[in-house]
Amino acid sequence: MNDKVDLVIFGGTGDLSTRKLLPALYQLHRHGLAERLQRIIATGRREMDSETFRNEAHANLQTFVPAKDWDTAVWEGYCQHLHYVRVDASDGGDYENLTQLLNADVAPIRLFYLATLPALYGTICSHLQQAGAVQEQSRVVLEKPLGHDLASCHEINLQVADVFGEEDTFRIDHYLGKETVQNVMAVRFGNPLLHPVWNNTFVDNVQITVAEEIGVEGRGDYYAKTGALRDMVQNHLLQVLSLVAMEPPTSLDPTDIRDEKVKVLRCLEPITADNAKERSVRGRYDAGAVRGEAVKGFLEEAEYKDADATETFVALKASINNWRWAGVPFYLRTGKRLSRRYSEIVIEFKKLSFSLFANDPNELTNKLVIRIQPEETISLHTLNKKPGLTRKLRLQPVELHLTEDPAQKGVSYDAYERLLLDAINGDQTLFMRRDEVETAWRWIDSIIAAWEEAGTPVKPYNSGTMGPGAATALVAVDGRSWYE
Ligand code: BG6
């Protein structure tokens, strides 16, 4: 149960490893949660020894670990576990060195973390196997994006499955590692008060927003080929949607939870060329200002081929065709260079059918607002009497805070800490199963095909706004508005 684990990171000197994985592993050490980790072996194409890698990691951690968490004694313990081996992932001959290092001090469990281009996943798995690096207890962690459509995702999954069983395959969606995303299940299934109203009799609409202030940063090449629909909706937004909409699982066992999530994805109504205009909006940021700073537009920043066909913003009206959700729109939106960074789920309950009060009926709704970031909070928006001597009884909104922001209590953590810990411990609950990822791609493919057929334009929006006006209209035609 507590067998030691060797963690091997492909892409060990890359961006993800530097910004997220090595800092998260440092934090696990700091919290005393990494005792099962025997070695962390980074691999990359550069020629360097482990000492040089440790020096580089030390310098990078100064940037990516908050100063308040830095502890030289923790670093000294942590760096003993760090190793580097030069491996060109596409060159089978290079894997010998890695196998030798692994065999020099065998840990019962091997965890291979693939943070490289997904096109290499199949090759890496087969080279690992040929070099004898895969032993009985070996797991693989796959970073997103898993392909760029259903066919390519299927192909990668098949190649990986040649070497690793599904129970040893951990597909990451880092949104599942976020505290409030996990809290969705706790709130839904832990509160008898909410359970009876979580359906189309009481819920009017659901909104999921993932808004970013940053642009495409140094990833324009990848992004120009990908766009917001594939980069964000296929994974993060659909994972959040499936947790909000799924039926209660029979237990908290990973299989039971993932069985329910995939059923939701299967019920998503395809978007077609006929309804693409009413159900989707694509946008691309132009120049503007974010937090008072002038920023360039996507096309000026990135001189990439076909970039003018890439969306950096998408808004969708999704329908889940099942007993619980028929008739309830799920509005999804995500974009870069928006006015502020926040991710949020809003469950808006239906209005009273008759109102006794002197308010505009639109003011009289209850909402459950689940803030994923930057704060991690959940609040229930209710109504009570506006105090005072006015003759007519008027209502005012009151927010009931159901959680305290863990950051305030000093118990906040990065999603990668949670996910690395779970992968080390072999818990698949917060990882995507093969059928989930493929079913999500099936729906995304329907949207891409609809856009192509309908010639859906990419509408410009100024950086520092909340996207193209058409996104407001998408919701307004239904007599609703985005909660902001
Ligand atoms: C990644 C996307 O998966 O998620 C990025 O590839 C995006 O484009 C990032 O910026 C957002 O993650 P977070 O945790 O900052 O909301």
Side-chain angles (χ1 to χ4, degrees):
M1 185 65 194
N2 289 321
D3 285 343
K4 290 278 183 197
V5 177
D6 271 340
L7 168 64
V8 180
I9 306 175
F10 282 84
T13 55
D15 199 53
L16 183 82
S17 180
T18 307
R19 284 170 183 273
K20 292 290 185 186
L21 305 182
L22 294 172
L25 290 162
Y26 166 88
Q27 297 285 16
L28 292 180
H29 271 87
R30 190 169 77 87
H31 296 306
L33 292 170
E35 63 279 356
R36 288 186 67 186
L37 267 185
Q38 176 169 288
R39 285 174 296 181
I40 299 163
I41 303 171
T43 77
R45 272 188 302 186
R46 263 164 59 200
E47 196 68 72
M48 75 175 134
D49 57 20
S50 291
E51 205 41 48
T52 312
F53 175 73
R54 283 183 203 126
N55 290 338
E56 285 191 7
H58 180 265
N60 290 331
L61 288 173
Q62 307 298 316
T63 310
F64 297 109
V65 169
K68 67 173 179 40
D69 295 344
W70 185 255
D71 182 333
T72 306
V74 173
W75 160 253
E76 276 163 10
Y78 174 51
C79 83
Q80 307 292 319
H81 298 267
L82 294 179
H83 300 261
Y84 179 84
V85 189
R86 200 202 85 90
V87 178
D88 176 343
S90 50
D91 182 349
D94 277 6
Y95 287 66
E96 284 299 317
N97 299 338
L98 175 63
T99 313
Q100 266 176 23
L101 180 63
L102 287 166
N103 288 346
D105 185 7
V106 176
I109 300 177
R110 289 178 183 168
L111 185 58
F112 299 101
Y113 196 119
L114 311 193
T116 61
L117 287 176
L120 286 173
Y121 290 174
T123 312
I124 296 174
C125 291
S126 90
H127 285 332
L128 280 171
Q129 191 177 45
Q130 279 158 18
V134 181
Q135 58 186 21
E136 202 188 328
Q137 289 197 77
S138 293
R139 303 177 192 138
V140 66
V141 181
L142 307 175
E143 263 297 330
K144 67 166 273 272
L146 270 186
H148 57 271
D149 57 11
L150 174 58
S152 53
C153 173
H154 188 65
E155 181 65 27
I156 294 173
N157 281 330
L158 277 180
Q159 291 170 346
V160 173
D162 267 347
V163 181
F164 296 94
E166 183 60 31
E167 64 292 350
D168 295 319
T169 304
F170 291 68
R171 295 178 192 79
I172 285 230
D173 183 314
H174 78 277
Y175 263 64
L176 293 177
K178 295 187 190 261
E179 178 73 7
T180 337
V181 174
Q182 292 158 56
N183 219 338
V184 170
M185 285 219 300
V187 166
R188 282 197 58 190
F189 303 127
N191 288 291
L193 196 68
L194 285 176
H195 183 58
V197 296
W198 209 267
N199 53 49
N200 53 9
T201 310
F202 294 96
V203 174
D204 180 78
N205 72 91
V206 176
Q207 303 184 6
I208 301 174
T209 297
V210 176
E212 297 188 90
E213 285 172 16
I214 55 167
V216 294
E217 311 299 302
R219 303 159 70 225
D221 246 339
Y222 152 79
Y223 202 86
K225 286 184 236 117
T226 309
L229 182 71
R230 291 184 172 100
D231 184 47
M232 297 294 285
V233 182
Q234 190 275 339
N235 35 79
H236 308 324
L237 277 88
L238 287 187
Q239 283 297 314
V240 171
L241 172 140
S242 56
L243 285 172
V244 170
M246 72 185 194
E247 294 301 311
T250 35
S251 79
L252 291 180
D253 182 84
T255 304
D256 292 336
I257 293 175
R258 299 192 296 174
D259 279 352
E260 296 308 331
K261 281 167 63 201
V262 74
K263 282 189 209 159
V264 174
L265 298 172
R266 280 197 212 117
C267 294
L268 281 168
E269 186 178 299
I271 290 181
T272 63
D274 290 341
N275 62 23
K277 198 160 174 235
E278 294 81 55
R279 289 176 159 245
S280 65
V281 173
R282 312 172 71 195
R284 181 183 56 241
Y285 62 82
D286 272 350
V290 178
R291 288 196 186 265
E293 237 180 70
V295 289
K296 287 185 180 170
F298 178 63
L299 292 183
E300 297 164 73
E301 272 178 344
E303 287 168 8
Y304 306 108
K305 207 169 153 270
D306 298 331
D308 54 352
T310 305
E311 77 285 342
T312 61
F313 175 96
V314 57
L316 300 170
K317 178 175 161 181
S319 299
I320 300 174
N321 288 339
N322 65 15
W323 277 92
R324 187 182 289 271
W325 296 115
V328 178
F330 279 66
Y331 300 109
L332 314 178
R333 68 176 167 168
T334 182
K336 295 205 181 281
R337 284 274 160 76
L338 301 184
S339 55
R340 62 199 169 101
R341 171 180 182 256
Y342 74 101
S343 300
E344 191 171 78
I345 308 164
V346 178
I347 317 289
E348 183 164 20
F349 293 94
K350 288 191 172 161
K351 297 185 181 78
L352 293 168
S353 46
F354 173 74
S355 176
L356 295 169
F357 307 98
N359 297 66
D360 168 354
N362 284 323
E363 297 169 356
L364 304 181
T365 63
N366 291 147
K367 295 179 200 73
L368 184 71
V369 179
I370 303 175
R371 180 55 81 96
I372 300 169
Q373 58 193 25
E375 308 85 31
E376 299 178 330
T377 54
I378 303 183
S379 55
L380 186 62
H381 293 216
T382 58
L383 297 147
N384 71 10
K385 181 185 176 300
K386 196 169 187 166
L389 289 173
T390 49
R391 200 165 61 85
K392 282 197 174 165
L393 198 61
R394 288 188 72 87
L395 298 181
Q396 64 174 7
V398 179
E399 285 183 29
L400 295 178
H401 295 281
L402 307 185
T403 52
E404 264 182 84
D405 186 356
Q408 307 286 326
K409 292 178 135 186
V411 288
S412 126
Y413 56 83
D414 186 81
Y416 278 95
E417 291 172 47
R418 162 94 268 157
L419 296 172
L420 278 162
L421 189 62
D422 287 356
I424 291 166
N425 291 328
D427 183 341
Q428 289 189 307
T429 313
L430 301 178
F431 294 85
M432 298 181 291
R433 204 167 60 188
R434 176 175 173 168
D435 54 349
E436 280 183 82
V437 191
E438 294 188 0
T439 311
W441 270 121
R442 184 166 291 117
W443 191 64
I444 295 298
D445 280 2
S446 84
I447 301 172
I448 292 167
W451 284 350
E452 274 170 19
E453 201 183 326
T456 304
V458 182
K459 298 191 167 154
Y461 60 94
N462 291 333
S463 287
T465 64
M466 279 307 282
T472 310
L474 177 98
V475 179
V477 290
D478 296 340
R480 302 184 176 102
S481 58
W482 291 103
Y483 173 74
E484 272 164 20

